[in-house]
């Protein structure tokens, strides 16, 4: 299978068989690291849902050019959109969460801070982390075959994010992961929807006041069984379960 590269500019305006196209610096570096040569096949995508089959046409010290050959629309997304609203786990576990969630088909990841957060990021540090996680998501798309890159939203406090939520419609589900909830995830999944938002807390869990705030904004609480999962495991378990439901 040819290596896949994300191109951060629209390719729809480029006609297959037309002029050669210079790759952005990040993709060009990957081509050079792989030691591809003119004539080597590659696959490009720009986040629109299309893939372009292409081949390397020229290699330079700082520039790599490719020749587009064919375009096709590819469907590898989940049947409905899933947003993971995750109070950020500590110790760089967020990197792995973003990577695995992208592979499993998440549409959006909303990093949050709560009362019991260990990891707290603001200002320039927060912006750099979001940019880093976006890069992790792009790399996971290149590896997994996805043609749409999930959105990594700006870091917010849980309260600020709740305050900005739009009015919930009948086509939107909102789930709160809570080990003390009375009902199971299976019971919540019996209600069909076009999108699902899953809220998951930090290592120490959400506070009672935060859980009540979530419930007042339409989140239904569910537990994932008798075992307590890590802050980075629980949302991935739900996402994987939802992904299997869509097969």
């Amino acid at each position: 299978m040819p290596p896949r590269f994300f191109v951060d500019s629209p390719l729809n305006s480029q006609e297959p068989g037309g002029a050669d196209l210079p790759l952005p610096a990040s993709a060009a570096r990957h081509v050079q690291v792989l030691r591809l040569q003119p004539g080597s096949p590659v696959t490009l995508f720009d986040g629109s849902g299309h893939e372009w089959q292409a081949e390397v046409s020229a290699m330079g010290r700082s520039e790599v050019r490719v020749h587009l050959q064919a375009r096709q629309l590819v469907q590898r997304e989940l049947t409905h959109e899933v947003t993971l609203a995750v109070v950020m786990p500590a110790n760089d576990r967020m990197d792995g969460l973003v990577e695995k969630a992208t592979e499993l088909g998440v549409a959006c990841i909303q990093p949050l801070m709560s009362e019991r957060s260990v990891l707290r990021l603001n200002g320039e540090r927060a912006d750099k982390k979001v940019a880093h996680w976006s890069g992790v998501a792009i790399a996971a798309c290149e590896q997994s075959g996805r043609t749409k890159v999930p959105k990594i939203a700006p870091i917010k406090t849980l309260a600020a994010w709740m305050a900005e939520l739009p009015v919930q419609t009948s086509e939107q589900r909102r789930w709160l992961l809570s080990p003390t909830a009375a009902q199971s995830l299976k019971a919540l999944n019996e209600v069909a929807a076009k999108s699902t938002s899953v809220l998951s807390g930090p290592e120490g869990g959400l506070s009672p006041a935060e859980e009540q705030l979530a419930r007042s904004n339409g989140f239904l609480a569910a537990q994932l069984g008798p075992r307590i999962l890590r802050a980075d495991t629980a949302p991935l378990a739900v996402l994987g379960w939802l992904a299997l439901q869509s097969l």
Side-chain angles (χ1 to χ4, degrees), residues 47 77 81-85 94 98 101-102 105-111 130 133-135 137-138 141 146 148-156 161 164:
E77 300 302 306
E81 291 189 353
V82 179
T83 295
L84 294 183
M94 192 71 177
V98 170
T102 300
V106 74
C108 176
I109 297 176
Q110 173 62 66
V130 170
W133 292 328
S134 295
I138 288 171
C141 285
R146 288 189 66 179
K148 293 186 177 180
V149 180
K151 176 184 177 182
I152 310 298
I155 298 170
K156 298 179 181 178
W161 179 66
E164 296 172 0

Side-chain angles (χ1 to χ4, degrees), residues 59-230:
M59 297 279 294
R61 278 191 171 184
S62 59
E63 184 181 70
V64 175
R65 301 186 71 85
V66 297
H67 188 71
L68 300 181
Q69 297 174 322
R71 177 181 62 196
Q72 60 180 341
L73 182 63
V74 179
Q75 175 53 265
R76 299 192 183 110
E77 300 302 306
L78 300 186
T79 55
H80 77 290
E81 291 189 353
V82 179
T83 295
L84 294 183
V86 182
V87 178
M88 300 175 294
N91 301 324
D92 292 326
R93 293 180 184 271
M94 192 71 177
D95 284 25
L97 191 155
V98 170
E99 179 185 71
K100 301 309 178 187
T102 300
E103 293 176 20
L104 290 168
V106 74
C108 176
I109 297 176
Q110 173 62 66
L112 297 171
M113 295 181 291
S114 69
E115 291 180 23
R116 298 171 179 170
S117 288
V118 175
L119 179 61
R120 295 184 177 276
L121 298 169
N122 295 286
E124 185 178 353
R125 287 185 64 216
D127 294 340
K128 287 183 177 180
K129 272 295 186 182
V130 170
H132 169 72
W133 292 328
S134 295
V136 172
I138 288 171
C141 285
E142 291 175 337
Q143 178 273 324
S144 65
R146 288 189 66 179
T147 54
K148 293 186 177 180
V149 180
K151 176 184 177 182
I152 310 298
I155 298 170
K156 298 179 181 178
T157 64
L158 177 60
W161 179 66
M162 287 284 180
E164 296 172 0
L165 285 175
V167 176
Q168 187 177 10
T169 70
S170 60
E171 296 180 336
Q172 299 170 330
R173 300 185 298 196
R174 293 177 179 176
W175 296 349
L176 164 66
L177 304 187
S178 173
T180 62
Q183 59 186 338
S184 68
L185 200 62
K186 183 178 180 181
L188 297 186
N189 198 45
E190 292 176 354
V191 179
K194 290 186 177 180
S195 67
T196 302
S197 294
V198 180
L199 172 60
S200 183
E203 287 81 357
L206 298 176
S207 70
E210 288 172 331
E211 287 205 7
Q212 182 55 44
L213 176 63
R215 289 187 175 94
S216 68
N217 280 275
F219 284 83
L220 302 178
Q223 48 91 5
L224 301 182
R227 294 177 300 279
I228 302 298
L229 304 182
R230 286 184 179 274

